[in-house]
């Protein structure tokens, strides 16, 4: 008879532990490593209004992501942002409106200034994903996709 309460407590302890682990997994903040996104995953389709964002972009908006690409030459050396491109570029793909927005670039706003790298070096950017048309009030730069509070490293 004495084994029954100890078995009951063990089951209760096991159920409690499983519940705690499940809660910890749900409450764990997403890390950039969990949310890798590629240029091929940015847009779902081309509709009557132009490019439409993919479900993955919509789902990851406001979340920490990681993305690999190339740094386009910055507009000025002291800028705290740059354009991440799918392929190396010799000129910055600066856009005057979101109607001209290429489907293979993302604007990156850095947490703090970093030394820019050569345009042919692959980099990995980590930060918070945003989508939708937005005009930077300081530069007038128009973007459809942005990674904010970002940092990068050479891969």
């Amino acid at each position: 008879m004495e084994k029954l309460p100890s078995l009951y407590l063990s089951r209760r302890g096991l159920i409690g532990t499983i519940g705690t682990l499940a809660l910890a997994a749900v409450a764990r903040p997403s890390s950039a490593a969990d949310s890798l996104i590629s240029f091929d995953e940015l847009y779902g389709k081309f509709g009557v209004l132009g490019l439409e964002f993919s479900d993955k972009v919509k789902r990851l908006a406001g979340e920490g992501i990681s993305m690999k690409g190339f740094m386009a030459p910055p507009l000025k050396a002291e800028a705290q942002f740059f354009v991440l491109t799918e392929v190396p570029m010799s000129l910055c793909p600066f856009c005057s409106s979101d109607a001209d927005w290429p489907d293979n670039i993302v604007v990156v706003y850095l947490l703090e200034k970093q030394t820019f790298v050569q345009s042919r070096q692959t980099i990995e950017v980590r930060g918070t994903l945003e989508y939708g048309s937005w005009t930077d009030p300081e530069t007038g730069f128009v973007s459809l996709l942005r990674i904010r509070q970002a940092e990068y490293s050479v891969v």
Side-chain angles (χ1 to χ4, degrees):
M1 208 50 155
E2 297 207 21
K3 289 188 178 186
L4 186 60
S6 122
L7 180 61
Y8 176 75
L9 290 176
S10 295
R11 285 185 186 166
R12 178 184 272 172
L14 179 61
I15 291 170
T17 301
I18 291 171
T20 302
L21 290 173
L23 182 61
V26 170
R28 184 178 60 94
S30 173
S31 72
D34 294 340
S35 301
L36 180 64
I37 190 166
S38 70
F39 284 95
D40 293 338
E41 298 173 302
L42 297 178
Y43 299 96
K45 60 183 176 179
F46 192 83
V48 292
L49 299 176
L51 290 172
E52 293 182 18
F53 296 106
S54 70
D55 290 338
K56 186 170 186 176
V57 164
K58 293 174 185 175
R59 186 177 68 250
L60 292 176
E63 299 291 324
I65 60 113
S66 175
M67 190 168 192
K68 292 181 182 177
F70 300 90
M71 181 183 292
L75 296 174
K76 53 184 182 175
E78 68 277 0
Q80 201 162 338
F81 77 96
F82 65 90
V83 175
L84 185 70
T85 63
E86 184 176 22
V87 295
M89 294 190 164
S90 57
L91 299 172
C92 182
F94 187 84
C95 302
S96 59
S97 78
D98 61 7
D100 303 328
W101 186 259
D103 65 354
N104 60 353
I105 68 172
V106 177
V107 179
V108 177
Y109 288 92
L110 299 168
L111 270 171
E112 56 188 43
K113 292 180 183 177
Q114 288 183 252
T115 305
F116 293 112
V117 299
Q118 295 297 318
S119 60
R120 296 218 172 264
Q121 286 185 300
T122 304
I123 61 172
E124 181 173 10
V125 175
R126 291 165 306 283
T128 303
L129 182 65
E130 286 184 1
Y131 74 94
S133 184
W134 183 75
T135 303
D136 186 321
E138 290 182 32
T139 64
F141 191 89
V142 178
S143 64
L144 283 180
L145 282 166
R146 293 161 300 286
I147 302 174
R148 292 198 178 272
Q149 300 175 334
E151 59 185 6
Y152 68 87
S153 57
V154 175
V155 181

